[in-house]
Amino acid sequence: MEGRKMNIQQAKEEIINTVKIYTAKDREGHYRIPPVHQRPLLLIGPPGIGKTAIVRQAAEECGVGLVAYTITHHTRQSAVGLPVIREKDYQGRQVQVTEYTMSEIIASVYECMENQQVQEGILFIDEINCVSETLAPTMLQFLQNKTFGTHRVPRGWIIVAAGNPPEYNKSAKTFDIVTLDRVKSIRVEIDFPAWKQYASGEGIHGAVLAYLSGKPQNFYYIEQGRGDREFVTARGWEDLSVLLYAYEEEKIPVGEDTIREYIHCGRIAGDFAAFYRLYLHYRRDYDPAGILKGGTENNCRQRELFRQAGADERYGVMEMLLGGLTEAFRDCLESRKLLDREKELYGRYRSLPEKPGQRAEQRMEEFLEDLEQALRVKDRHRLISEEDLKREETVQREFRGAQERLRERRAVSPAEAEAVLGQWMDEKEQVLSAREQEAGEMLERAFAFLEDTLEDGPEMGYFMTALTRSPASAEFLNRHPSPACGRHLQALAVTDEEEELRRRIKEASGIRS
């Protein structure tokens, strides 16, 4: 089954673009592309590479609803609906006709529309080509006609389906030309660099990133052995990363047997277990947090160790530095979002009309009750993402603390309250600015350490590439430019230009690499 080939990040962008195009309306309020011409998206790719995750992320970024089903968990009755007998009058003759109740899947779409107060969304059907023989015709009808049984998917809902190629799943079926001619088929391919860009932003454990950077061939692996099939997937690495953080927090050792629970290949699990032991050893020897924060006790010894280190050790240490920097940048960026939201709410508080005899504390209480009530409604109807919900709850807790400050300062009038809250905002801004400055200085210290121990070459290029591809790092550097980073970016640009020039000279001279 062929289709346009994409990595997982490109597939996500394609979903987002498709949602935007399919939900765009003309001046009369009609969909610019009529629903009859809105082809479903069909993602075909290996298991565990993140197809489900990108659909969820795309729905959140587009601000539309999402209903997701793994179709292999359903029977024909739950997908199509149950048969019922209806009386019909055909040309004066009463006859009994079989109809079907609304399927569970279509009903879930309408329930989402009602609960979330949305008219548009994504209906995601996973493992669509791995259904039983009794469901296969239903799935073909669904892709071709956008119906389950006799009930059509509501207008404004985009169909995204996903499945595995037959080489990865014995029960997977191929679609015929008639079906493929009615869908936008995308072949999602394994692409470690694309996954690493995502992983850097998600805070995947440094040991996982360092190991896979040195051995990208072990990122994804599936083999049919003599006995059970051995496999390694992106999902396995991400879940292992979460486990490593949790075990380290509780000071529980992670052995090869534990790693095998996530990395289902003895060779790769054993290899990573050995690397992880070395990684912990490197972390003790180098103290990356100390390097970033400017500790000088063992700085000379750390630099000498790094100069003499092998490639694996160097990449491991660089991933530790990158992990520490990314965490600091994410923390600053999230704190900035919180403070921006607090400033926005402070502006709304100041614009509230004054009520005769109302004390500042009462005014703040009414303001907070309205905020909390609005958040409860959004949460109950699932109109807010988990990330935004957490952020709003944090902001409201901060304002509850500000209310206590009003009591302590005995603020009575609106003017007194605004003076107290204005000072509170100024203090928060000063604290955050100091943290942002410290994060920038951490980056300069990392560059100073690497510049003193590395020559400009592939390892520094690796560090720069990983740094600039991390969404958190890129956003922080856009807000707070780094002199050292600017120097190295300029050097890399010159190197790229030289390589391109060499390539063109070779082509012009008829020389082959």
Side-chain angles (χ1 to χ4, degrees):
M1 184 190 303
E2 286 299 324
R4 182 181 172 188
K5 296 180 180 179
M6 297 183 180
N7 63 41
I8 198 70
Q9 291 299 322
Q10 292 169 331
K12 175 184 171 181
E13 288 301 317
E14 184 66 16
I15 296 171
I16 291 173
N17 292 338
T18 300
V19 171
K20 289 180 179 178
I21 292 299
Y22 283 2
T23 56
K25 298 181 177 68
D26 59 23
R27 293 180 179 178
E28 287 73 35
H30 303 298
Y31 287 109
R32 189 171 295 149
I33 298 180
V36 68
H37 295 299
Q38 294 184 4
R39 291 189 172 197
L41 268 171
L42 177 61
L43 310 177
I44 298 296
I49 62 172
K51 298 187 294 294
T52 303
I54 62 170
V55 174
R56 174 181 53 79
Q57 293 166 8
E60 290 181 357
E61 292 183 26
C62 292
V64 298
L66 173 65
V67 173
Y69 275 91
T70 299
I71 200 64
T72 50
H73 298 168
H74 288 265
T75 63
R76 185 177 185 278
Q77 286 75 20
S78 63
V80 176
L82 295 172
V84 292
I85 304 299
R86 304 290 189 192
E87 292 285 343
K88 295 283 186 178
D89 188 333
Y90 291 136
Q91 297 182 343
R93 180 186 174 191
Q94 292 289 324
V95 296
Q96 291 183 330
V97 178
T98 301
E99 293 186 358
Y100 289 88
T101 59
M102 182 175 288
S103 80
E104 177 185 330
I105 296 172
I106 298 295
S108 294
V109 172
Y110 282 106
E111 185 177 344
C112 175
M113 295 169 66
E114 182 177 346
N115 291 340
Q116 298 188 29
Q117 297 297 298
V118 294
Q119 295 301 310
E120 298 162 338
I122 296 175
L123 173 56
F124 177 57
I125 305 297
D126 200 7
E127 299 183 8
I128 193 166
N129 62 335
C130 301
V131 296
S132 64
E133 293 295 335
T134 57
L135 259 181
T138 300
M139 291 301 99
L140 293 177
Q141 180 191 33
F142 167 66
L143 290 176
Q144 293 175 13
N145 304 321
K146 304 173 187 173
T147 59
F148 272 111
T150 56
H151 298 275
R152 184 173 294 276
V153 176
R155 292 168 62 89
W157 280 74
I158 291 87
I159 297 171
V160 180
N164 304 139
E167 61 264 30
Y168 293 103
N169 192 326
K170 291 180 179 178
S171 62
K173 303 173 180 63
T174 57
F175 292 113
D176 55 27
I177 294 177
V178 174
T179 302
L180 291 176
D181 195 34
R182 288 173 168 83
V183 300
K184 294 175 65 174
S185 180
I186 296 174
R187 184 92 177 191
V188 186
E189 296 190 315
I190 301 162
D191 187 328
F192 173 66
W195 182 83
K196 186 178 179 182
Q197 183 176 354
Y198 154 82
S200 297
E202 292 295 313
I204 298 297
H205 197 283
V208 172
L209 291 175
Y211 175 76
L212 293 177
S213 295
K215 298 184 177 181
Q217 69 275 15
N218 290 343
F219 167 61
Y220 199 96
Y221 177 80
I222 293 183
E223 181 181 36
Q224 182 68 48
R226 294 181 179 178
D228 294 335
R229 179 182 292 232
E230 291 195 329
F231 62 93
V232 179
T233 68
R235 182 189 297 123
W237 287 116
E238 185 166 0
D239 290 345
L240 176 60
S241 168
V242 175
L243 179 108
L244 292 177
Y245 280 124
Y247 271 45
E248 289 173 1
E249 184 71 22
E250 297 297 328
K251 295 181 172 54
I252 301 174
V254 178
E256 184 176 336
D257 289 342
T258 303
I259 292 170
R260 281 175 180 251
E261 296 170 4
Y262 297 84
I263 307 303
H264 299 276
C265 171
R267 175 181 59 81
I268 296 176
D271 195 38
F272 176 75
F275 177 85
Y276 180 63
R277 288 192 294 271
L278 283 173
Y279 182 89
L280 296 179
H281 179 69
Y282 301 155
R283 188 158 64 185
R284 287 191 298 269
D285 280 353
Y286 286 94
D287 183 22
I291 294 173
L292 296 175
K293 293 178 180 178
T296 58
E297 293 181 6
N298 298 317
N299 201 262
C300 293
R301 179 171 128 352
Q302 292 164 341
R303 294 184 184 217
E304 189 58 35
L305 278 174
F306 197 68
R307 289 190 190 97
Q308 299 175 4
D312 286 349
E313 185 170 337
R314 287 187 174 189
Y315 284 121
V317 174
M318 283 191 288
E319 283 297 344
M320 292 178 204
L321 295 175
L322 287 164
L325 290 170
T326 303
E327 183 179 355
F329 296 157
R330 280 204 309 265
D331 182 59
C332 287
L333 292 170
E334 178 59 27
S335 297
R336 177 57 64 184
K337 290 178 182 178
L338 289 172
L339 184 54
D340 287 347
R341 177 61 174 158
E342 288 166 0
K343 288 180 178 180
E344 178 188 345
L345 293 181
Y346 173 53
R348 285 171 53 184
Y349 171 80
R350 294 183 62 186
S351 65
L352 290 175
E354 295 184 24
K355 296 180 180 180
Q358 186 184 44
R359 295 171 62 88
E361 185 181 335
Q362 295 171 327
R363 188 186 190 204
M364 176 62 78
E365 182 62 33
E366 290 183 7
F367 178 69
L368 288 174
E369 286 179 355
D370 288 344
L371 287 179
E372 290 165 356
Q373 174 62 22
L375 187 60
R376 283 195 293 270
V377 171
K378 288 182 178 180
D379 185 29
R380 182 167 62 249
H381 294 292
R382 300 178 66 185
L383 300 175
I384 188 170
S385 68
E386 287 296 324
E387 182 181 5
D388 288 339
L389 175 63
K390 182 179 178 180
R391 187 177 296 127
E392 286 296 306
E393 289 174 341
T394 300
V395 168
Q396 291 183 12
R397 282 197 301 271
E398 288 291 306
F399 267 84
R400 282 293 177 188
Q403 184 182 34
E404 184 63 30
R405 177 177 284 217
L406 293 179
R407 295 193 189 101
E408 293 173 354
R409 303 292 174 85
R410 303 180 187 279
V412 177
S413 68
E416 291 172 333
E418 289 175 12
V420 171
L421 294 175
Q423 183 184 10
W424 175 58
M425 285 289 165
D426 290 342
E427 292 172 358
K428 292 174 77 69
E429 179 65 48
Q430 290 172 9
V431 170
L432 179 53
S433 295
R435 286 169 57 193
E436 290 171 338
Q437 182 178 348
E438 172 59 20
E441 291 173 356
M442 289 169 64
L443 179 58
E444 299 303 308
R445 294 184 193 113
F447 273 115
F449 177 84
L450 296 175
E451 287 170 350
D452 189 45
T453 52
L454 290 177
E455 297 178 359
D456 286 332
E459 290 164 331
M460 183 62 82
Y462 169 86
F463 183 83
M464 286 298 303
T465 301
L467 180 69
T468 53
R469 283 185 176 176
S470 165
S473 300
E475 184 176 350
F476 183 86
L477 289 169
N478 187 49
R479 292 170 176 258
H480 308 279
S482 159
C485 186
R487 290 196 309 271
H488 286 282
L489 281 174
Q490 188 175 9
L492 284 177
V494 171
T495 301
D496 290 342
E497 290 172 4
E498 290 174 348
E499 288 297 326
E500 177 65 14
L501 183 59
R502 290 193 190 101
R503 186 185 65 78
R504 291 181 180 179
I505 292 172
K506 286 181 179 180
E507 289 179 353
S509 304
I511 301 173
R512 295 183 180 180
S513 302

